[in-house]
Amino acid sequence: MARYIFITGGVVSSLGKGLMAASLAALLQARGFRVRIRKFDPYLNVDPGTMSPYQHGEVYVTDDGAETDLDLGHYERFTGVSARQSDNITSGRVYRDIIAKERRGDYLGATVQVIPHVTDAIKEFARADTEDLDFVLCEIGGTVGDIEGLPFVEAIRQLRNEMGRESTCFVHVTLVPYIAAAGELKTKPTQHSVRELTGLGIQPDILLCRCEKPLPDVERAKIALFCNVRTEAVIPAEDAASIYSVPLQYHAEGLDAEVLRHFSLVSPSPELSRWGDIVDRLHNPEGEVTIAVVGKYVGLQDAYKSLNEALFHGGMANRVKVNIRWIDAEVFDGEASEIAARLEPMHGILVPGGFGERGTEGKIASARFARERNIPYFGICLGMQVACIEAAQAAGIAQASSTEFGETSEPVVGIITEWMSPEGLQKRAEGGDLGGTMRLGAYNALLSSNSRVAAIYESAAISERHRHRYEVNVAYRAALESNGLVFSGMSPDGLLPEIVERPDHPWFIGVQFHPELKSKPFDPHPLFAGFIAASLQQSRLV
């Protein structure tokens, strides 16, 4: 039977519960335990698929096609365990399913209420698909005291009663702020947060105290006294130089040992050498490159969280430091001098995915600049599409565009209304719902045997994750290839272009999928490793 670790947060948001969950899972995994991490999100959206990146950050996509919270990306990157649709649930999804059951009459005339129906649904989610696991870590989104999170807190309180203390552990992540004027760390916010939590029926077993200064022993003892926990269960979590230092830091502070003590478990010391190697590569580079990311959501880096990390992974693979320059694509619209001034010093140019017309002219201009100046170019999703539009324009198709940007006589990129998936033929109406209607999840692609990408992957067949509604129109293949942009990866049925590249360019690759979603610090994605290697070569030419 799996043991459950429930992770809550208090005082303020953005304390790093997701990173904490991922780090603890990695430590338990390093001790030989089998782990899985789940996220409970209190918002009423069914999933984050229709939410603005500025509201929620990136949407993380799983192999089975779920649009999920970005914390699932942390979970995968730190543990290597592929996330599933069953690992993320929202209040919206819970209420949608309950209302559907009520409409069908499944409740046999009963009054449908938060308790027991909503809490039972949450508990069912927590317990589902946990066979052959040693630990299930469940992160509760939001902050204790938020009204929308109350059903989730009540559900985990009930689970403690049903499963017993020997099978459940409550970890509360809280803030110990430093007041510069007083020169002191203040424990009162943590005390109030724990009091709020205990008022809801949950007494935390372990406190993870986020702080920007070292937490003195006297303050740890004070927190333990007022919050009714052992002093050893008050774990300092000082700001780290890198997120990849966190597992080592938490281990040094005794987090994983305290969790095992709670469950009365004994295990060998964790094997953490790969984390030591990751930190060494990150903090002791042997060179550096500067990469321009030309996007439309650059005002919030969480909108490109996986992309950001995948670039760092590519740097680790080459043992170089990656400096990312975030550039708003809109500043390039129609300004050739501005493009040259911004992009000339760069060693590589990456155009990521996005939705809508805003900033697309700047992205097209960036692809053109990379092509003409022989600067390594990596286009992802929309970044591949704008590279195709640019190639078509260079081939003399002046009106080349995407139907996503409005009506066009030359739809080099168009909406996809039907496609083959592992489950069979999928169909979508052009004016239908936006949520969950894209090509989502893992799809196979076949690579040309003599292509650069086949050499990079060292394989003729790959599987990558998708999230998009528009596709490059295969009818324009001849025109694009006449301009030197080769279709080097196709869907198995030969209808959907998956990868394009320029064989006569130092490194120019566009992919329809999102390779950043599968990159890990201990297993960098080959495309990112190859892109950084090419950018390093470019840096030696500048």
Side-chain angles (χ1 to χ4, degrees):
M1 181 178 176
R3 299 168 181 85
Y4 282 78
I5 301 171
F6 298 108
I7 299 159
T8 56
V11 185
V12 295
S13 60
S14 302
L15 287 180
K17 295 193 306 296
L19 182 58
M20 177 269 166
S23 298
L24 176 56
L27 291 174
L28 294 171
Q29 190 180 56
R31 288 179 178 269
F33 294 107
R34 296 159 299 178
V35 301
R36 179 164 290 279
I37 320 178
R38 291 187 159 159
K39 179 70 183 290
F40 301 71
D41 277 311
Y43 51 74
L44 289 176
N45 303 69
V46 172
D47 58 44
T50 59
M51 296 170 71
S52 165
Y54 285 121
Q55 287 273 324
H56 191 71
E58 76 167 1
V59 175
Y60 192 79
V61 179
T62 60
D63 276 337
D64 58 3
E67 294 175 288
T68 70
D69 184 81
L70 62 81
D71 276 332
L72 271 73
H74 284 312
Y75 305 164
E76 274 207 35
R77 284 188 287 273
F78 277 61
T79 67
V81 177
S82 293
R84 303 181 297 213
Q85 189 168 43
S86 58
D87 292 330
N88 189 202
I89 195 169
T90 69
S91 291
R93 189 167 140 207
V94 170
Y95 282 107
R96 181 196 64 181
D97 293 349
I98 287 174
I99 290 171
K101 290 180 179 180
E102 186 273 333
R103 293 290 83 188
R104 290 196 304 265
D106 291 1
Y107 295 113
L108 302 176
T111 301
V112 181
Q113 298 175 293
V114 173
I115 302 173
H117 301 98
V118 172
T119 52
D120 281 353
I122 294 169
K123 291 187 292 183
E124 182 181 351
F125 160 75
R127 287 168 158 163
D129 300 323
T130 58
E131 298 81 7
D132 301 323
L133 292 175
D134 297 309
F135 288 100
V136 180
L137 290 78
C138 298
E139 177 196 348
I140 315 301
T143 305
V144 167
D146 294 345
I147 191 169
E148 61 266 29
L150 293 177
F152 292 94
V153 175
E154 171 61 18
I156 64 174
R157 184 196 68 80
Q158 293 178 19
L159 282 170
R160 161 62 69 90
N161 285 344
E162 294 169 10
M163 301 176 68
R165 189 179 186 278
E166 65 278 5
S167 296
T168 56
C169 178
F170 292 126
V171 179
H172 190 53
V173 183
T174 184
L175 177 68
V176 181
Y178 177 75
I179 307 301
E184 293 178 337
L185 289 165
K186 293 297 184 180
T187 66
K188 192 65 71 176
T190 291
Q191 295 175 42
H192 283 301
S193 179
V194 172
R195 186 176 302 162
E196 178 87 23
L197 189 58
T198 55
L200 298 172
I202 292 176
Q203 166 63 49
D205 302 301
I206 298 172
L207 295 176
L208 190 81
C209 298
R210 293 282 289 108
C211 48
E212 57 181 294
K213 302 283 186 180
L215 186 64
D217 288 342
V218 64
E219 300 300 332
R220 289 182 68 184
K222 182 179 180 181
I223 291 171
L225 176 65
F226 282 97
C227 297
N228 197 29
V229 298
R230 299 169 68 250
T231 301
E232 294 82 2
V234 179
I235 308 295
E238 195 174 345
D239 291 351
S242 160
I243 63 172
Y244 299 115
S245 304
V246 173
L248 296 174
Q249 180 178 317
Y250 285 178
H251 173 66
E253 296 291 354
L255 175 60
D256 50 326
E258 187 62 24
V259 168
L260 294 181
R261 191 211 64 82
H262 172 86
F263 288 112
S264 301
L265 292 174
V266 178
S267 83
S269 297
E271 172 50 59
L272 298 174
S273 58
R274 74 174 180 180
W275 289 103
D277 180 60
I278 289 166
V279 171
D280 179 61
R281 287 174 175 271
L282 190 62
H283 296 303
N284 297 290
E286 298 174 357
E288 61 182 273
V289 296
T290 302
I291 305 297
V293 177
V294 184
K296 62 185 294 186
Y297 310 120
V298 296
L300 180 68
Q301 290 188 20
D302 270 358
Y304 299 112
K305 187 62 181 175
S306 293
L307 178 71
N308 189 57
E309 298 308 318
L311 284 168
F312 291 147
H313 303 164
M316 293 175 198
N318 291 278
R319 210 176 185 99
V320 298
K321 178 183 179 183
V322 177
N323 302 306
I324 302 176
R325 298 290 180 265
W326 301 94
I327 299 176
D328 190 336
E330 287 188 283
V331 304
F332 285 172
D333 289 358
E335 297 291 339
S337 59
E338 181 72 16
I339 295 171
R342 296 278 193 113
L343 296 183
E344 191 74 58
M346 302 300 165
H347 305 134
I349 299 170
L350 191 151
V351 176
F355 294 90
E357 185 177 8
R358 180 173 64 84
T360 53
E361 288 302 319
K363 293 183 177 185
I364 292 171
S366 298
R368 180 179 303 114
F369 187 88
R371 174 178 62 83
E372 294 176 345
R373 301 297 184 92
N374 283 330
I375 297 175
Y377 176 86
F378 194 2
I380 295 175
C381 198
L382 182 59
M384 167 179 156
Q385 295 173 5
V386 298
C388 291
I389 292 171
E390 193 281 323
Q393 292 174 351
I397 307 174
Q399 300 303 312
S401 187
S402 169
T403 58
E404 183 178 8
F405 312 149
E407 292 187 10
T408 175
S409 59
E410 298 288 356
V412 174
V413 179
I415 192 168
I416 178 174
T417 56
E418 61 179 59
W419 66 92
M420 289 301 298
S421 77
E423 291 74 35
L425 182 66
Q426 302 289 314
K427 294 185 178 182
R428 298 290 184 268
E430 187 166 351
D433 291 345
L434 296 180
T437 60
M438 291 178 278
R439 189 152 73 103
L440 291 166
Y443 284 84
N444 296 328
L446 302 179
L447 309 183
S448 300
S449 59
N450 59 346
S451 63
R452 175 173 283 147
V453 288
I456 290 173
Y457 276 101
E458 298 182 345
S459 176
I462 60 172
S463 174
E464 293 282 3
R465 297 177 190 174
H466 293 65
R467 182 178 182 252
H468 56 97
R469 185 170 285 106
Y470 295 82
E471 300 275 356
V472 173
N473 190 342
V474 73
Y476 286 85
R477 180 171 186 169
L480 296 178
E481 293 192 336
S482 71
N483 185 255
L485 190 67
V486 175
F487 286 35
S488 55
M490 299 291 294
S491 60
D493 59 11
L495 299 178
L496 301 177
E498 296 279 16
I499 306 177
V500 296
E501 63 179 64
R502 289 188 175 276
D504 59 350
H505 190 280
W507 207 95
F508 192 108
I509 292 174
V511 297
Q512 186 58 74
F513 44 83
H514 289 270
E516 69 272 21
L517 299 178
K518 296 180 72 172
S519 187
K520 302 170 184 65
F522 43 82
D523 185 20
H525 194 285
L527 287 174
F528 281 92
F531 175 58
I532 296 302
S535 300
L536 180 62
Q537 185 65 30
Q538 176 71 17
S539 73
R540 294 167 178 160
L541 300 176
V542 175

